Amino acid sequence: MKKLLLSLVAVAGLVYGVQAQTEKGNFMLGGNVGVNSTKVDGAPKADFSFTVLPSVGYFISNNFAIGTGVGYEYNKTVSEKTQDGAFKVAPFGRYYVGLSDQFKFFGQLSVPLAFGQLKATDANGDNSVKLGTTTKIGVEVAPGFAFFPTKRIGIELSVKGLSYENYTFKAEGTGAKVKSNSFGLNADTFAPRLGVQFYF
């Protein structure tokens, strides 16, 4: 009987430890890294892009956190002779749904803002010259899964999902502006975002 009682206490402690990660009052600290490389026929080099977005969040209720990410995104499109980089801020809200003791599904709504520069390059992607400044304001819904190997660490895999973006380009020198709006669904499983979160 004593062994059974101890076993029940241990199992209850394990389940509590897993559920406690997303309880009200807890913090999560981590971020996302995205990398993509595509070789276009005829281009001397591959197009390349990456995003680094560290983030911090606070659980205002069980399974629901709000926070923000601050980072940098970079794109070099050799096939189109362009290069751009931008400072990025992305406030977010995230909700978790438990699938098992170690797996949780989450949905995240974020408002990414990016401020950067657009440059022209030569055919090899070198000798960049500034064309103007860029501003991106968007809304994004990103689904994902989190795996918890321990009660303090979550390893995440997510895709971009549903998004809207308003893009403004301001030409260097003349100050002329060009604006565009885009809306779409981009669940590209070949370009997922991998992240690690620490819960405390």
Side-chain angles (χ1 to χ4, degrees), residues 12-190:
L14 177 62
V15 171
Y16 175 77
V18 171
Q19 297 300 323
Q21 294 157 337
T22 58
E23 281 189 347
K24 180 179 178 179
N26 285 356
F27 286 89
M28 64 179 186
L29 179 66
N32 286 299
V33 176
V35 179
N36 191 31
S37 179
T38 306
K39 183 70 164 63
V40 177
D41 286 344
K45 296 180 182 177
D47 296 342
F48 177 77
S49 66
F50 76 86
T51 301
V52 179
L53 192 68
S55 63
V56 61
Y58 175 73
F59 286 89
I60 59 174
S61 65
N62 288 346
N63 297 316
F64 181 64
I66 59 172
T68 191
V70 179
Y72 184 77
E73 62 181 16
Y74 171 84
N75 298 282
K76 178 177 277 192
T77 312
V78 178
S79 58
E80 297 180 4
K81 301 180 182 179
T82 61
Q83 172 185 315
D84 67 87
F87 172 75
K88 189 172 184 179
V89 179
F92 68 85
R94 177 184 286 196
Y95 187 75
Y96 287 86
V97 176
L99 301 175
S100 70
D101 289 346
Q102 289 186 296
F103 288 92
K104 289 190 178 185
F105 170 81
F106 65 84
Q108 179 169 298
L109 173 66
S110 60
V111 183
L113 312 169
F115 309 93
Q117 297 181 352
L118 178 65
K119 298 179 180 181
T121 69
D122 60 24
N124 291 318
D126 302 320
N127 303 313
S128 58
V129 177
K130 183 179 176 182
L131 298 176
T133 58
T134 60
T135 303
K136 298 177 186 177
I137 301 172
V139 178
E140 181 180 305
V141 178
F145 288 94
F147 167 64
F148 297 94
T150 73
K151 67 178 183 178
R152 297 295 182 194
I153 298 174
I155 300 171
E156 302 175 353
L157 189 65
S158 64
V159 293
K160 186 175 181 180
L162 191 65
S163 65
Y164 164 80
E165 182 179 86
N166 174 271
Y167 175 85
T168 302
F169 169 74
K170 183 178 179 181
E172 186 76 359
T174 65
K177 292 183 179 181
V178 177
K179 296 186 178 184
S180 64
N181 294 287
S182 60
F183 177 81
L185 176 64
N186 183 9
D188 186 355
T189 56
F190 293 104

